């Protein structure tokens, strides 16, 4: 019986031959760059599917998840807008006075 598990990796940084990814937002791991889709860049979200197959082998499918990346970017923009609005409410503006 095949078992499948889904994970998401967020690319935190790309070095010469490795990428640092956040796995499901829980922990950072370093992955050899050759295992990732060509041209992967910082900030991308990757869908990772692990399938346990017959004979004891494991198959990983790693693909860019553009829809998840767009959702994450939209969440970040909303958070930035909320922070800017909160800052405007707390800062009356004008010159800094001692």
């Amino acid at each position: 019986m095949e078992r499948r598990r889904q994970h998401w990796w967020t690319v935190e940084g790309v070095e010469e031959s490795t990428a640092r990814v956040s796995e499901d937002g829980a922990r950072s791991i370093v992955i050899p760059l050759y295992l990732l889709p060509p041209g992967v860049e910082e900030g991308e979200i990757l869908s990772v599917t692990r399938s346990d197959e017959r004979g004891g082998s494991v198959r990983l499918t790693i693909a860019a998840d553009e829809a998840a990346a767009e959702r994450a970017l939209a969440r970040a923009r909303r958070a930035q807008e909320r922070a800017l609005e909160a800052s405007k409410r707390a800062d009356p503006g004008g010159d800094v006075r001692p």
Side-chain angles (χ1 to χ4, degrees):
M1 178 169 105
E2 182 180 297
R3 247 181 25 194
R4 301 183 78 137
R5 285 180 255 161
Q6 188 76 36
H7 297 277
W8 280 268
W9 291 351
T10 303
V11 180
E12 296 176 337
V14 177
E15 303 281 327
E16 201 169 295
S17 62
T18 61
R20 189 177 63 259
V21 300
S22 170
E23 181 183 40
D24 299 327
R27 65 184 179 128
S28 289
I29 56 177
V30 176
I31 303 293
L33 201 51
Y34 70 84
L35 291 176
L36 302 181
V40 70
E41 296 180 356
E42 184 177 322
E44 285 191 62
I45 297 178
L46 305 173
S47 168
V48 181
T49 305
R50 175 191 163 138
S51 301
D52 297 338
E53 299 184 347
R54 292 185 179 132
S57 64
V58 172
R59 178 184 307 244
L60 289 180
T61 303
I62 304 170
D65 189 334
E66 293 178 18
E70 287 298 321
R71 288 190 303 272
L73 185 58
R75 279 192 307 273
R77 284 185 183 132
R78 287 191 302 272
Q80 183 180 27
E81 289 168 2
R82 285 191 304 271
L84 183 58
E85 287 302 316
S87 175
K88 286 179 183 178
R89 285 191 300 273
D91 183 356
D95 293 336
V96 175
R97 298 179 192 201

